[in-house]
Amino acid sequence: MKVYKKWAVAGLTMISAIALAACSNDNSEVKSGFKPSVKMVDSYNNPSKSSSTYNNGTLKVAEFNSAPFAGITSPTLQTNAEDGDVYSPGSVNLFNVDNNNKIIDGGLANLKLDKKSMTATITINPKAKWSNGSKVIARDVEYPYEIIGAPDSPSQQYTEDMNAIKGMAEFHSGKAKTISGITMPKGEKGNVVVIHFSKFAPSLKYIGNTYMWSSIEPYEYIKNVPISKLASSSEVRKNPIFAGPYKLSKQVTGESTSWVPNKYYYGKQAQIKHITIQVVNPNNFTSSLKAKQYDFAKSGGVSTQYPEVKQLKKYKEVGTIGTSYDLLGFNVGHFDSKKQENVMDSNAKMSNVKLRKAMMYALDIGALRKKFDNGLGWQPNSVISPYYKKYYNDKTPRYTLNISKANKLLDEAGYKKKGKWRTQPNGKPLVINYGAQTGTAASEAENSYYLQQWHKIGLNVQYAGGRPMEMNKLYSILLKPKQDQVDIFEAGFSTGSEPTQTNFYGASAGFNIGHFASAKNTELLNNMNSAKSWNDEYRQKQFKEWQTYLQDQAVYVPVSMSLSWTPVNTRVKGYSARSDDNEFWSNLQLTSSNPE
């Protein structure tokens, strides 16, 4: 799981609050902006039966974003989805999965879970190699845990769930030099790793769970770089190696990456000889496709331009229900670096739940989704997507526009009007700093609408720093252990293939950038993967109760989910958005020399 950018929206002029008035009187969820209206296919395969292919050409992929990518190739150190996207041709998951994201045999490694002994045995494919020709070894599977758990690590991936690995907590606190619960029966250069757990969670059956890491690191290649300096090293930034179907041939940091097949790849050999992934401003989404510059977007499509893109004759829209979401978050505490845990501060400016709820009731999020997303996005009621059918709670209530309720909550909490603005309950002035991201005309309009509505209920909300910030700058502030520059912020999280989100909302999570850490929250998160939760009915109940609880606390409130979609040029063969496409990059082919 990673923090990801706020999906940039483009192509709309500035709008007023009048244009965002309440939706139609029709109470259907689609017309209220609570469900998507668009349906898409989940794959595309050029129907040409011709044996002629153009795989010696270049597959041209866009990464639509208004900021450059950070340039970190290490999966354990990445903090945003852009890096994951631009380096994905060289990346490979540790395991293959079925269409329910359940781990199956046949990947870079196989997994055997033993509930009785509480062990996970990982056996590496003997053919697996890095792009420099060296074998993938047991230490490559073990080393990510050292990177994540090291006391001086820059990684944001550590959560309390990893304490279920025996010896991990001691290693993370600096009391042990090794992780006792991870063993390599055939030696560091062998192909077997056994992980010993003190708690055996049902989520271990699925990739992307919060108890077991699902990627590898090239230990022999990076072992001489101190973990604290790994993120800035040339081994990670300039001359990385990969174990996936492609290897990096060139990169322009922040702008583009270029790829050629990795002849040492253990799996299906890549068929296209060259791939380029280019960062493109979202404003140029439709125009770049009209100019036939790109075959598809790894970042996904720009929803505001969907009507124009849909009219393009040589592109097919492919997508599925997404698991990523945008949210509004509130800063309610800090991260205690010594104890390695988030702490809620009762004196924090945004600590009053009635203030947070009032700010949400001042907004008509459903109308925003209707206005901006063209049937592709919706106002979620939960941070768990409907994609996770068994665990999603469709009964969790949303925050809908109710100005009188917002004012009543503020009055009850003691935020009294003094002239134009409300004061704090202690009578002192109240200025709330909103951390917004730079984007396009439409994203600016959405942010302006937020400020306008908050002003309407007497809250003096201003842009932190005086204006919206570039994405990387905002996240650099939010990821600090303690900061007072931003009180409320917009952010986006990309959920893993398994819906547990301890690494976003857990007490020890580095990505818990609002610092929410109540006892009830911890209890419910723990219950999702307790011994009782092997009974799936019990597990579903815990998930659903947690969703309603988190929404009610209003520290993190989801404001947008969307189909995960992209236009795919008709010269492409073998494109799939299904989770069980374990050879995504290797399955792609081209049927003409350039995008059509």
Side-chain angles (χ1 to χ4, degrees):
M1 304 181 193
K2 299 183 179 73
V3 171
Y4 81 110
K5 48 107 182 339
K6 177 174 173 63
W7 294 114
V9 289
L12 296 181
T13 55
M14 293 292 284
I15 53 177
S16 69
I18 296 175
L20 286 171
C23 297
S24 160
N25 289 329
D26 189 322
N27 290 322
S28 75
E29 290 196 314
V30 169
K31 290 191 175 182
S32 297
F34 297 165
K35 279 188 176 181
S37 60
V38 173
K39 294 183 179 180
M40 290 187 183
V41 295
D42 61 9
S43 62
Y44 175 75
N45 197 44
N46 184 298
S48 172
K49 295 181 180 179
S50 171
S51 59
S52 174
T53 59
Y54 292 83
N55 291 333
N56 286 330
T58 300
L59 176 71
K60 300 174 181 179
V61 182
E63 176 71 13
F64 289 101
N65 194 41
S66 57
F69 61 88
I72 297 178
T73 60
S74 165
T76 54
L77 298 175
Q78 289 171 353
T79 57
N80 59 62
E82 288 75 20
D83 280 349
D85 287 348
V86 300
Y87 295 118
S88 59
S91 302
V92 60
N93 283 326
L94 193 54
F95 309 112
N96 278 0
V97 297
D98 64 15
N99 201 39
N100 293 314
N101 297 307
K102 191 173 183 179
I103 294 170
I104 59 175
D105 287 350
L108 187 145
N110 290 341
L111 175 69
K112 182 181 178 182
L113 298 176
D114 189 323
K115 189 176 177 182
K116 185 176 181 181
S117 65
M118 294 200 290
T119 58
T121 300
I122 299 165
T123 304
I124 303 165
N125 188 318
K127 295 181 180 179
K129 292 183 178 181
W130 293 96
S131 54
N132 65 354
S134 62
K135 291 189 69 172
V136 176
I137 59 175
R139 196 68 193 273
D140 298 336
V141 174
E142 182 273 346
Y143 200 52
Y145 295 91
E146 291 192 37
I147 296 174
I148 293 168
D152 59 349
S153 175
S155 174
Q156 299 290 329
Q157 300 293 346
Y158 195 88
T159 72
E160 56 262 41
D161 283 351
M162 283 198 170
N163 290 338
I165 299 172
K166 291 183 177 180
M168 192 67 167
E170 291 80 1
F171 180 77
H172 186 54
S173 65
K175 295 177 181 178
K177 293 184 178 180
T178 60
I179 305 168
S180 61
I182 303 180
T183 60
M184 293 164 274
K186 295 185 178 181
E188 291 186 3
K189 295 187 178 181
N191 72 326
V192 178
V193 175
V194 180
I195 304 177
H196 303 258
F197 293 91
S198 59
K199 173 184 177 181
F200 210 59
S203 63
L204 287 166
K205 297 182 292 184
Y206 301 91
I207 203 165
N209 69 76
T210 53
Y211 291 83
M212 184 171 59
W213 195 246
S214 298
S215 63
I216 55 177
E217 294 284 358
Y219 173 73
E220 291 291 336
Y221 188 67
I222 62 177
K223 65 181 180 181
N224 294 323
V225 182
I227 289 174
S228 62
K229 298 180 179 179
L230 195 57
S232 60
S233 69
S234 61
E235 288 85 351
V236 167
R237 293 272 188 171
K238 295 181 179 180
N239 303 299
I241 61 174
F242 295 87
Y246 284 87
K247 66 178 182 178
L248 189 67
S249 61
K250 179 184 177 183
Q251 71 171 321
V252 178
T253 304
E255 297 180 14
S256 66
T257 59
S258 299
W259 303 84
V260 295
N262 172 17
K263 66 179 181 180
Y264 297 111
Y265 180 54
Y266 81 95
K268 182 178 179 179
Q269 285 298 300
Q271 299 177 73
I272 301 172
K273 299 304 181 186
H274 301 92
I275 294 175
T276 61
I277 304 179
Q278 177 79 42
V279 174
V280 185
N281 191 294
N283 285 317
N284 300 326
F285 180 56
T286 303
S287 61
S288 66
L289 297 177
K290 283 182 177 178
K292 309 295 173 61
Q293 293 177 326
Y294 302 103
D295 290 296
F296 60 83
K298 191 67 180 74
S299 57
V302 180
S303 297
T304 51
Q305 297 183 41
Y306 174 70
E308 292 84 3
V309 171
K310 190 178 179 182
Q311 302 303 315
L312 299 178
K313 294 182 179 180
K314 293 296 184 176
Y315 285 90
K316 178 71 175 179
E317 292 73 49
V318 180
T320 61
I321 290 288
T323 62
S324 300
Y325 53 93
D326 292 336
L327 58 79
L328 286 173
F330 296 83
N331 181 19
V332 295
H334 68 278
F335 185 80
D336 187 325
S337 299
K338 188 174 182 179
K339 294 182 179 179
Q340 291 289 299
E341 64 183 21
N342 287 285
V343 179
M344 295 178 71
D345 183 356
S346 60
N347 295 318
K349 190 186 299 183
M350 310 310 295
S351 64
N352 193 308
V353 67
K354 289 187 176 182
L355 170 61
R356 301 193 299 267
K357 287 184 174 183
M359 293 183 73
M360 297 312 305
Y361 280 120
L363 306 175
D364 193 342
I365 300 298
L368 289 173
R369 300 285 66 81
K370 283 277 290 179
K371 184 75 178 179
F372 288 166
D373 293 348
N374 292 299
L376 298 163
W378 65 95
Q379 179 190 358
N381 66 328
S382 164
V383 298
I384 300 286
S385 166
Y387 171 86
Y388 307 103
K389 296 178 183 177
K390 293 193 298 182
Y391 302 109
Y392 165 65
N393 189 347
D394 62 354
K395 293 181 172 56
T396 295
R398 290 174 172 84
Y399 289 95
T400 55
L401 180 64
N402 192 329
I403 294 295
S404 61
K405 188 169 186 177
N407 281 316
K408 184 180 179 182
L409 285 167
L410 291 172
D411 291 340
E412 290 174 352
Y415 294 90
K416 298 178 181 179
K417 275 277 190 81
K418 189 175 182 180
K420 183 178 181 180
W421 305 120
R422 292 178 182 269
T423 62
Q424 298 180 54
N426 61 12
K428 293 182 179 180
L430 175 64
V431 178
I432 298 172
N433 297 305
Y434 171 46
Q437 296 180 28
T438 54
T440 60
S443 59
E444 289 175 12
E446 188 166 334
N447 287 324
S448 294
Y449 170 72
Y450 288 163
L451 296 185
Q452 183 172 274
Q453 292 299 100
W454 291 328
H455 292 170
K456 187 179 290 187
I457 58 173
L459 295 177
N460 185 6
V461 186
Q462 303 175 0
Y463 286 124
R467 62 179 63 87
M469 301 181 200
E470 189 268 337
M471 177 193 74
N472 294 314
K473 181 180 180 180
L474 177 60
Y475 281 142
S476 70
I477 293 171
L478 297 175
L479 287 167
K480 290 179 180 178
K482 188 174 185 178
Q483 60 85 19
D484 58 7
Q485 296 171 261
V486 176
D487 302 312
I488 179 174
F489 53 86
E490 59 169 343
F493 286 164
S494 179
T495 313
S497 305
E498 203 280 327
T500 305
Q501 296 187 45
T502 312
N503 62 340
F504 291 145
Y505 305 113
S508 64
F511 284 139
N512 187 347
I513 48 184
H515 311 294
F516 178 59
S518 73
K520 181 69 172 178
N521 185 60
T522 299
E523 177 190 355
L524 289 170
L525 287 172
N526 288 341
N527 287 350
M528 293 173 188
N529 285 291
S530 67
K532 289 183 180 180
S533 62
W534 284 90
N535 178 325
D536 202 54
E537 288 186 6
Y538 172 86
R539 190 169 196 245
Q540 290 176 41
K541 183 179 178 182
Q542 301 308 308
F543 265 98
K544 291 178 179 181
E545 184 177 344
W546 175 74
Q547 290 167 68
T548 300
Y549 172 74
L550 188 70
Q551 184 82 336
D552 182 63
Q553 293 301 297
V555 176
Y556 295 103
V557 181
V559 295
S560 177
M561 281 185 182
S562 176
L563 297 182
S564 177
W565 72 283
T566 180
V568 179
N569 191 265
T570 53
R571 75 162 177 156
V572 175
K573 256 180 124 65
Y575 185 96
S576 174
R578 291 171 57 90
S579 60
D580 60 355
D581 184 7
N582 295 294
E583 294 282 13
F584 173 81
W585 291 105
S586 294
N587 285 334
L588 296 174
Q589 294 188 67
L590 301 174
T591 60
S592 63
S593 56
N594 287 297
E596 298 176 334

